[in-house]
Amino acid sequence: MKPASIKDIASKANVSITTVSFILNGKAEQMRISKAVIEKVNTIIKEFDFKPNQVARSLRTGNTQTIGLIVEDISNPFFASIARKIEDKAYKKGYKISYSSTENDPVKAKELIEMFKARQVDAYIIAPVPGIESEIKQLLTERIPVVIFDRNLPDMEVNYVVVDNFNGTYIATKHLIDSGKKNIAFVTVDLHVDQINNRFLGYEKALQDRGIQFNKDIYTEIPFDSTDDNTTAQLMLLFEKNPEIDAVLFSTNYLAIKGLLVLKLIKKEINDDFSIVAYDDHDVFKLHTPPISVVDQPIEEMAEKIIDVLLNELASASNTLIKKEASKIILQPKFIKR
Amino acid sequence: MKPASIKDIASKANVSITTVSFILNGKAEQMRISKAVIEKVNTIIKEFDFKPNQVARSLRTGNTQTIGLIVEDISNPFFASIARKIEDKAYKKGYKISYSSTENDPVKAKELIEMFKARQVDAYIIAPVPGIESEIKQLLTERIPVVIFDRNLPDMEVNYVVVDNFNGTYIATKHLIDSGKKNIAFVTVDLHVDQINNRFLGYEKALQDRGIQFNKDIYTEIPFDSTDDNTTAQLMLLFEKNPEIDAVLFSTNYLAIKGLLVLKLIKKEINDDFSIVAYDDHDVFKLHTPPISVVDQPIEEMAEKIIDVLLNELASASNTLIKKEASKIILQPKFIKR
DNA sequence: ATGAAAGCGCTAACAA
DNA sequence: TTGTTAGCGCTTTCAT
């Protein structure tokens, strides 16, 4: 049996569908529909458990009350946590989230944007991969609200919410140096995206500020799509070839976890003479013996800012054509010494 | 500027919108539209970068190519991993995922189902909370494909994919007993849902089979919505009051992590005389010193089965009214000794 | 205070 | 082989 439509309600109530529509949309008062009619219609709506078809409504009004969330990988705890917070806030405003993972593949990212466009999502939240600048620009010219996060795309007038990646590694590196470390390895991923670059630059600058020469032997890039075994091999090599290393700074959370597993494997002890710092906090680091210091990103705050900026745009999108300046929000990471 | 519509394409190409529609939907051959026309239309489609409005299409066809995913909390790694795998598979078949977290609140769960219904999602994947049986039954009578997972709802003819929770704790407990443990504490959550109940029953049965008396002093239920501090306090109490405990079996992943943090806090060492077993694997357990044994759930397999069952129903839903028997899939967990 | 009717963009039955 | 047209369920303008 097909679900009831507004037409069924109208005919049962002996009123026009217009009247029902007004009542549904809270315009009854404004349209001065009589209390009696309102009540009668509402009773019938309840009786039929009628829910307006959102698809039809979307077609008519042009908005879907849906936000497209495009991240690298929803199963990464960083993105999953953000997704959750965003979902919460969006839900309260009547928006739903549709999500997708890009796997850092610009082709897939483009497809996803197309798909979301075809589905008429009202707004986008994107952790951008390099190579989708033009698609995002396109969204912008179509005046569709967009917030990018985690990574910035340089030279674009787009709302963003990022963490000061440069400063994150800067403070971490400085801390290591100040606690006596001289040979600080840097393990990162081969993605030359803004936020990873900046993490490297912060590390480099801290070394420089403290008069330590950057040593490229103890700088390692792990391919993003490296297999577990390859990653392990590469890290083992790093430690074998460079016994002088007295600290390691990992530029991402998952690399640090891999790193800890390798250290465990080769039975290299973490102690006062050999420190580890990870980027992005995780239960693993709290629980590790010894606990691992981290650069902590303010996830909750990020999610909050993202959704605030977006809802704000969504609210104003309708009633103005004036291009406001993009919101550029840079949050500060915290170094957590453990 | 509004995006192009099928009408624009048709008029540019001097053909009717029907022709364009057929070409778009791959029915050109079948409708024996001439090669020349197809080519011309395709060129124009590309030129305009035309993407059919999925909302209009949905209104017309009645399906949205969207699957609603309702879980307890998308930021929980277990659900996040499943979500990711499901997304992948669904995407390949042209389906998108809309997700929502219930926070174990039946009221919210009901609202979410309503919301998804209003949005006309084609199918549901639900990790059910107690109290939504009737909503799910309703979906079933409306012949909307549903798969529930993680937890089973007893006495319902609905597709489900679950892990044999009873057996999971059964083998874990047996293992502990066989390695000489006599006072095995059980820490669980106060949710009396099917899968948690079964985990307790497996534990109880293993004790019984080995002739050990269940001791309720070392059985602890932590409220689902307990604050961090309360949880900590409750666990500390457990260990203080019952120094005879020589092993702890946690019924969930997050409780085990909490537990490890507490043990760290009270400096209680994990060693041959005091073992921990967690439910659901996690990097934390691999990396922990010493590593923690776990009951591992086959996440990938679950996701695969879920989506297989669903796509299967989706494919057959259209061409048959025959009620097939529900797929009831029970996967086996694995005990990983560490 | 309420209703008639157009139209959002698309699909598909029916015509030609 | 291609075109005409009704209609999916709703919102909203214009009438009354």
Side-chain angles (χ1 to χ4, degrees), chain B residues 2 6 18 21 27 52-53 57 60:
Chain B
K2 280 184 17 161
I6 194 170
T18 309
S21 175
K27 295 189 184 160
N53 182 325
R57 184 179 271 179
R60 183 59 233 239

Short mmCIF file of all heavy atoms in Angstrom, two decimals, chain B residues 2 6 18 21 27 52-53 57 60, chain C residues 7-15:
data_model
loop_
_atom_site.label_atom_id
_atom_site.label_comp_id
_atom_site.label_asym_id
_atom_site.label_seq_id
_atom_site.Cartn_x
_atom_site.Cartn_y
_atom_site.Cartn_z
N LYS B 2 21.20 28.84 -13.54
CA LYS B 2 20.71 27.50 -13.22
C LYS B 2 21.38 26.45 -14.08
O LYS B 2 21.68 26.69 -15.24
CB LYS B 2 19.19 27.45 -13.42
CG LYS B 2 18.48 28.06 -12.25
CD LYS B 2 16.99 27.95 -12.32
CE LYS B 2 16.43 26.94 -13.29
NZ LYS B 2 15.03 26.64 -12.92
N ILE B 6 17.17 18.71 -18.83
CA ILE B 6 17.00 17.83 -19.97
C ILE B 6 16.32 18.58 -21.12
O ILE B 6 16.57 18.32 -22.30
CB ILE B 6 16.18 16.59 -19.54
CG1 ILE B 6 16.26 15.49 -20.57
CG2 ILE B 6 14.76 16.96 -19.20
CD1 ILE B 6 15.67 14.19 -20.08
N THR B 18 12.20 13.13 -24.62
CA THR B 18 12.13 11.67 -24.52
C THR B 18 13.41 11.05 -25.06
O THR B 18 14.01 10.17 -24.44
CB THR B 18 10.97 11.14 -25.37
OG1 THR B 18 9.81 11.86 -25.05
CG2 THR B 18 10.77 9.67 -25.12
N SER B 21 16.14 11.52 -22.71
CA SER B 21 15.95 10.65 -21.56
C SER B 21 16.37 9.22 -21.88
O SER B 21 17.09 8.59 -21.10
CB SER B 21 14.49 10.68 -21.13
OG SER B 21 14.27 9.76 -20.09
N LYS B 27 18.82 3.50 -22.84
CA LYS B 27 17.79 2.77 -23.56
C LYS B 27 17.79 3.14 -25.04
O LYS B 27 16.85 2.83 -25.77
CB LYS B 27 16.42 3.08 -22.96
CG LYS B 27 16.31 2.56 -21.54
CD LYS B 27 14.91 2.67 -21.03
CE LYS B 27 14.86 2.25 -19.57
NZ LYS B 27 13.68 2.76 -18.88
N PRO B 52 21.77 14.78 -14.94
CA PRO B 52 20.33 14.74 -14.64
C PRO B 52 20.07 14.98 -13.17
O PRO B 52 20.82 14.53 -12.32
CB PRO B 52 19.91 13.33 -15.04
CG PRO B 52 21.09 12.64 -15.58
CD PRO B 52 22.26 13.54 -15.54
N ASN B 53 19.03 15.71 -12.90
CA ASN B 53 18.63 16.01 -11.53
C ASN B 53 18.09 14.74 -10.88
O ASN B 53 17.03 14.25 -11.23
CB ASN B 53 17.58 17.10 -11.56
CG ASN B 53 17.15 17.50 -10.18
OD1 ASN B 53 17.07 16.66 -9.28
ND2 ASN B 53 16.88 18.77 -9.99
N ARG B 57 14.37 12.71 -10.79
CA ARG B 57 14.35 11.31 -11.18
C ARG B 57 13.75 10.46 -10.06
O ARG B 57 12.94 9.56 -10.31
CB ARG B 57 15.78 10.89 -11.49
CG ARG B 57 15.90 9.50 -12.00
CD ARG B 57 17.35 9.17 -12.31
NE ARG B 57 17.72 9.51 -13.67
CZ ARG B 57 18.95 9.32 -14.15
NH1 ARG B 57 19.92 8.88 -13.36
NH2 ARG B 57 19.22 9.62 -15.40
N ARG B 60 10.08 10.78 -9.74
CA ARG B 60 9.39 10.06 -10.81
C ARG B 60 9.46 8.53 -10.62
O ARG B 60 8.46 7.84 -10.73
CB ARG B 60 10.04 10.46 -12.13
CG ARG B 60 9.42 9.87 -13.37
CD ARG B 60 7.96 10.26 -13.48
NE ARG B 60 7.18 9.04 -13.65
CZ ARG B 60 6.38 8.81 -14.68
NH1 ARG B 60 6.19 9.72 -15.60
NH2 ARG B 60 5.75 7.69 -14.79
P DG C 7 3.44 27.27 -15.93
OP1 DG C 7 3.98 28.57 -16.35
OP2 DG C 7 2.90 26.30 -16.89
"O5'" DG C 7 4.56 26.53 -15.07
"C5'" DG C 7 5.03 27.12 -13.86
"C4'" DG C 7 5.83 26.09 -13.12
"O4'" DG C 7 4.92 25.23 -12.37
"C3'" DG C 7 6.62 25.13 -14.04
"O3'" DG C 7 7.90 24.95 -13.45
"C2'" DG C 7 5.83 23.84 -13.98
"C1'" DG C 7 5.35 23.90 -12.55
N9 DG C 7 4.27 23.01 -12.18
C8 DG C 7 3.27 22.49 -12.97
N7 DG C 7 2.47 21.69 -12.32
C5 DG C 7 2.97 21.67 -11.02
C6 DG C 7 2.53 20.99 -9.87
O6 DG C 7 1.56 20.23 -9.75
N1 DG C 7 3.33 21.25 -8.76
C2 DG C 7 4.42 22.09 -8.77
N2 DG C 7 5.08 22.23 -7.63
N3 DG C 7 4.85 22.74 -9.84
C4 DG C 7 4.08 22.49 -10.92
P DC C 8 9.16 24.88 -14.36
OP1 DC C 8 9.56 26.23 -14.79
OP2 DC C 8 8.89 23.82 -15.34
"O5'" DC C 8 10.28 24.33 -13.36
"C5'" DC C 8 10.53 24.91 -12.08
"C4'" DC C 8 10.92 23.80 -11.13
"O4'" DC C 8 9.73 23.22 -10.59
"C3'" DC C 8 11.63 22.64 -11.83
"O3'" DC C 8 13.04 22.85 -11.75
"C2'" DC C 8 11.21 21.41 -11.02
"C1'" DC C 8 9.96 21.87 -10.25
N1 DC C 8 8.69 21.15 -10.56
C2 DC C 8 7.95 20.54 -9.55
O2 DC C 8 8.37 20.60 -8.40
N3 DC C 8 6.79 19.91 -9.85
C4 DC C 8 6.36 19.86 -11.12
N4 DC C 8 5.22 19.23 -11.37
C5 DC C 8 7.10 20.47 -12.18
C6 DC C 8 8.24 21.10 -11.86
P DG C 9 13.89 22.93 -13.13
OP1 DG C 9 15.18 23.52 -12.76
OP2 DG C 9 13.09 23.50 -14.22
"O5'" DG C 9 14.10 21.39 -13.47
"C5'" DG C 9 14.82 20.57 -12.56
"C4'" DG C 9 14.60 19.14 -12.98
"O4'" DG C 9 13.21 18.81 -12.85
"C3'" DG C 9 14.98 18.82 -14.42
"O3'" DG C 9 15.93 17.77 -14.37
"C2'" DG C 9 13.67 18.43 -15.08
"C1'" DG C 9 12.85 17.95 -13.90
N9 DG C 9 11.41 18.09 -14.07
C8 DG C 9 10.74 19.10 -14.70
N7 DG C 9 9.44 18.96 -14.66
C5 DG C 9 9.23 17.79 -13.96
C6 DG C 9 8.04 17.13 -13.60
O6 DG C 9 6.87 17.47 -13.84
N1 DG C 9 8.28 15.97 -12.87
C2 DG C 9 9.52 15.50 -12.55
N2 DG C 9 9.58 14.37 -11.85
N3 DG C 9 10.66 16.11 -12.87
C4 DG C 9 10.44 17.24 -13.57
P DC C 10 16.45 16.99 -15.63
OP1 DC C 10 17.81 16.54 -15.34
OP2 DC C 10 16.16 17.74 -16.86
"O5'" DC C 10 15.51 15.71 -15.59
"C5'" DC C 10 15.67 14.77 -14.53
"C4'" DC C 10 14.52 13.82 -14.50
"O4'" DC C 10 13.32 14.59 -14.62
"C3'" DC C 10 14.46 12.83 -15.65
"O3'" DC C 10 15.03 11.60 -15.21
"C2'" DC C 10 12.98 12.67 -15.94
"C1'" DC C 10 12.31 13.72 -15.07
N1 DC C 10 11.29 14.54 -15.76
C2 DC C 10 9.96 14.16 -15.66
O2 DC C 10 9.65 13.15 -15.03
N3 DC C 10 9.01 14.94 -16.26
C4 DC C 10 9.38 16.04 -16.93
N4 DC C 10 8.42 16.77 -17.50
C5 DC C 10 10.73 16.44 -17.04
C6 DC C 10 11.65 15.66 -16.44
P DT C 11 15.17 10.43 -16.31
OP1 DT C 11 16.12 9.48 -15.71
OP2 DT C 11 15.38 10.97 -17.67
"O5'" DT C 11 13.71 9.78 -16.29
"C5'" DT C 11 13.33 9.03 -15.14
"C4'" DT C 11 12.02 8.35 -15.40
"O4'" DT C 11 11.02 9.32 -15.84
"C3'" DT C 11 12.05 7.27 -16.48
"O3'" DT C 11 11.27 6.20 -15.95
"C2'" DT C 11 11.38 7.92 -17.69
"C1'" DT C 11 10.40 8.87 -17.02
N1 DT C 11 10.01 10.14 -17.72
C2 DT C 11 8.68 10.48 -17.75
O2 DT C 11 7.80 9.80 -17.27
N3 DT C 11 8.41 11.67 -18.38
C4 DT C 11 9.32 12.54 -18.95
O4 DT C 11 8.95 13.58 -19.47
C5 DT C 11 10.70 12.11 -18.88
C7 DT C 11 11.77 12.98 -19.47
C6 DT C 11 10.98 10.95 -18.29
P DA C 12 11.29 4.74 -16.62
OP1 DA C 12 11.15 3.74 -15.53
OP2 DA C 12 12.41 4.66 -17.58
"O5'" DA C 12 9.92 4.73 -17.42
"C5'" DA C 12 8.73 4.99 -16.68
"C4'" DA C 12 7.58 4.99 -17.65
"O4'" DA C 12 7.51 6.26 -18.32
"C3'" DA C 12 7.71 3.95 -18.77
"O3'" DA C 12 6.39 3.55 -19.11
"C2'" DA C 12 8.33 4.73 -19.90
"C1'" DA C 12 7.58 6.05 -19.73
N9 DA C 12 8.25 7.20 -20.30
C8 DA C 12 9.57 7.35 -20.63
N7 DA C 12 9.87 8.53 -21.11
C5 DA C 12 8.66 9.21 -21.10
C6 DA C 12 8.29 10.50 -21.50
N6 DA C 12 9.16 11.38 -21.98
N1 DA C 12 7.00 10.85 -21.35
C2 DA C 12 6.13 9.95 -20.85
N3 DA C 12 6.36 8.71 -20.44
C4 DA C 12 7.65 8.40 -20.60
P DA C 13 6.11 2.06 -19.58
OP1 DA C 13 6.42 1.20 -18.42
OP2 DA C 13 6.77 1.83 -20.88
"O5'" DA C 13 4.54 2.07 -19.81
"C5'" DA C 13 3.70 2.87 -18.99
"C4'" DA C 13 2.69 3.61 -19.85
"O4'" DA C 13 3.32 4.79 -20.41
"C3'" DA C 13 2.16 2.79 -21.04
"O3'" DA C 13 0.76 3.06 -21.20
"C2'" DA C 13 2.97 3.32 -22.23
"C1'" DA C 13 3.19 4.78 -21.83
N9 DA C 13 4.43 5.36 -22.36
C8 DA C 13 5.67 4.78 -22.40
N7 DA C 13 6.60 5.55 -22.93
C5 DA C 13 5.91 6.71 -23.25
C6 DA C 13 6.33 7.92 -23.84
N6 DA C 13 7.60 8.17 -24.21
N1 DA C 13 5.40 8.87 -24.03
C2 DA C 13 4.14 8.64 -23.65
N3 DA C 13 3.62 7.54 -23.07
C4 DA C 13 4.58 6.61 -22.91
P DC C 14 -0.09 2.20 -22.29
OP1 DC C 14 -1.44 2.04 -21.74
OP2 DC C 14 0.70 1.04 -22.76
"O5'" DC C 14 -0.18 3.26 -23.48
"C5'" DC C 14 -0.63 4.58 -23.19
"C4'" DC C 14 -0.41 5.44 -24.41
"O4'" DC C 14 0.99 5.73 -24.57
"C3'" DC C 14 -0.88 4.78 -25.73
"O3'" DC C 14 -1.80 5.66 -26.34
"C2'" DC C 14 0.42 4.63 -26.52
"C1'" DC C 14 1.26 5.77 -25.95
N1 DC C 14 2.73 5.63 -26.11
C2 DC C 14 3.45 6.74 -26.56
O2 DC C 14 2.86 7.79 -26.81
N3 DC C 14 4.80 6.62 -26.71
C4 DC C 14 5.43 5.46 -26.43
N4 DC C 14 6.73 5.39 -26.59
C5 DC C 14 4.69 4.32 -25.97
C6 DC C 14 3.35 4.45 -25.83
P DA C 15 -2.58 5.17 -27.69
OP1 DA C 15 -4.01 5.27 -27.45
OP2 DA C 15 -1.99 3.90 -28.21
"O5'" DA C 15 -2.14 6.36 -28.65
"C5'" DA C 15 -1.01 7.12 -28.27
"C4'" DA C 15 -0.81 8.29 -29.18
"O4'" DA C 15 0.61 8.47 -29.29
"C3'" DA C 15 -1.29 8.14 -30.61
"O3'" DA C 15 -1.51 9.43 -31.15
"C2'" DA C 15 -0.14 7.39 -31.28
"C1'" DA C 15 1.09 7.99 -30.54
N9 DA C 15 2.15 7.00 -30.27
C8 DA C 15 2.01 5.72 -29.82
N7 DA C 15 3.15 5.08 -29.68
C5 DA C 15 4.10 6.02 -30.06
C6 DA C 15 5.50 5.97 -30.14
N6 DA C 15 6.21 4.89 -29.81
N1 DA C 15 6.14 7.07 -30.57
C2 DA C 15 5.43 8.16 -30.89
N3 DA C 15 4.11 8.34 -30.85
C4 DA C 15 3.50 7.20 -30.43
#
